[in-house]
Amino acid sequence: MTARSSARPLRLGTRRSPLAMAQAHETRNRLCAAHGWSEDAVEIVPVLASGDKVQDRPLAEIGGKALWTKELDLWLATGEIDIAVHSMKDVETIRPDELTIAALLPRADVRDVLVGASSVAAIPQGATVGTSAPRRAAQMLHQRPDLKVVSFRGNVATRLAKLQAGEADVTLLAAAGLERLGETGVGHPLAVDDWLPAPAQGAIGIECRTDDAATRELLAAIDHAPTRAQVMAERALLLALGGNCHSPIAVLTSGETQLSMRAAIFSPDGAVMLERCAEFASDSDGPAALAATLLAEAPESVRIHFEGAPG
């Protein structure tokens, strides 16, 4: 298929935030390049997500990751859009059967970026860290228990403005998001050897209706197999752990058919961390086995925050 001139444009739903719009444009560009379409073959349809409406409380307190997806899910279900673009780290582990993650774009930089100090060790004693992510809070407190964590929400520009206004001394942002916004000179990336990212960090997913075979075929042209293998393994780990928006989980996977996964779970206060590694085939139950190992070896102070823990 090389043109859509005789058909209506493919309607691509996205959140309205600057980062989400950048991800939508990247998706449109890849689709048009893969199929030889002109840009007007894909119409970008913005939606104001619930998660963007409330900025004064942590996401985990007001409904979790579903607040990023529920409007787009509804629009897909009712046929107002054909596809929806998501940051995969913001997508709930269990999705409706009626929807399918039909494509994953090549994963970008998975690292977190520290803004306000050159390294974790260089953060002043007793400083405040602005983040609303349980993983980032636990990781920071594990390495620097002297620090104080304060709630910090909003898009990249909002959080940088809050930092500039002195609401915190340092904050953490995803390198992939900064890169997609052209903010590559901001902050200091943290090496994954010392600071594991969130599950699926850096990955963009495109979802469509499961019964829409034609659209699934179109999206297959931009699906990146290594990213799919890695992201789906990390989501399988999340599912087996029973992790939710309050569960501090960090993980990174490499490979395509044979995967190498390194994962860590924490107590929310960062006092306890358990980290393990595993290698397994991409189509195996390796993530579930690693989750079982982590939960079996974790102390109660960690296990109580994971629904997958044995009773």
Side-chain angles (χ1 to χ4, degrees):
M1 185 174 183
T2 58
R4 293 181 62 85
S5 56
S6 61
R8 61 166 174 74
L10 190 72
R11 297 162 301 179
L12 183 160
T14 176
R15 290 168 48 211
R16 292 180 182 270
S17 74
L19 177 55
M21 292 296 290
Q23 293 177 163
H25 280 92
E26 179 179 346
T27 301
R28 178 169 68 179
N29 292 343
R30 288 182 179 274
L31 275 168
C32 291
H35 295 290
W37 298 340
S38 61
E39 189 177 273
D40 60 5
V42 180
E43 177 189 359
I44 294 177
V45 183
V47 59
L48 182 61
S50 297
D52 290 315
K53 297 173 186 175
V54 182
Q55 297 291 333
D56 59 347
R57 285 172 288 166
L59 200 66
E61 292 181 4
I62 57 174
K65 292 183 177 181
L67 296 182
W68 296 134
T69 59
K70 68 178 186 178
E71 282 85 3
L72 290 171
D73 289 355
L74 178 62
W75 284 22
L76 271 176
T78 58
E80 293 180 63
I81 56 174
D82 303 300
I83 61 177
V85 177
H86 303 292
S87 291
M88 285 305 297
K89 73 172 185 176
D90 294 333
V91 177
E92 313 98 290
T93 310
I94 299 174
R95 300 293 289 140
D97 291 339
E98 296 78 15
L99 302 179
T100 295
I101 298 165
L104 286 145
L105 303 189
R107 198 171 191 175
D109 193 335
V110 301
R111 294 176 295 176
D112 273 346
V113 171
L114 179 66
V115 185
S118 59
S119 68
V120 174
I123 301 172
Q125 188 80 10
T128 55
V129 181
T131 182
S132 293
R135 170 192 61 94
R136 287 172 171 157
Q139 281 176 295
M140 188 62 78
L141 292 172
H142 181 74
Q143 294 191 21
R144 291 290 306 273
D146 60 291
L147 301 178
K148 178 185 177 184
V149 174
V150 296
S151 181
F152 228 50
R153 282 208 51 223
N155 62 33
V156 169
T158 299
R159 282 185 276 173
L160 290 175
K162 288 181 177 181
L163 191 68
Q164 187 69 27
E167 294 186 27
D169 298 304
V170 299
T171 191
L172 295 146
L173 299 167
L178 291 169
E179 186 178 289
R180 287 170 180 139
L181 289 169
E183 300 282 358
T184 52
V186 173
H188 300 270
L190 299 177
V192 294
D193 288 346
D194 305 315
W195 188 277
L196 284 170
Q201 185 153 312
I204 296 172
I206 303 98
E207 203 164 34
C208 68
R209 290 181 296 280
T210 303
D211 62 3
D212 187 352
T215 297
R216 290 178 66 172
E217 184 176 350
L218 292 173
L219 292 175
I222 60 169
D223 187 40
H224 188 247
T227 298
R228 174 172 288 277
Q230 294 159 19
V231 168
M232 292 308 178
E234 292 174 11
R235 287 172 63 80
L237 177 82
L238 274 177
L239 180 64
L241 285 170
N244 56 43
C245 288
H246 298 278
S247 309
I249 304 168
V251 60
L252 184 60
T253 308
S254 59
E256 181 177 352
T257 56
Q258 189 67 21
L259 300 178
S260 178
M261 177 180 282
R262 178 174 157 228
I265 57 176
F266 301 78
S267 58
D269 63 2
V272 181
M273 176 191 77
L274 188 75
E275 181 180 314
R276 294 290 180 268
C277 300
E279 295 189 1
F280 44 83
S282 61
D283 58 353
S284 72
D285 63 355
L290 180 55
T293 298
L294 285 165
L295 293 173
E297 297 181 8
E300 183 67 12
S301 62
V302 174
R303 291 172 63 220
I304 59 173
H305 301 286
F306 295 87
E307 296 170 6

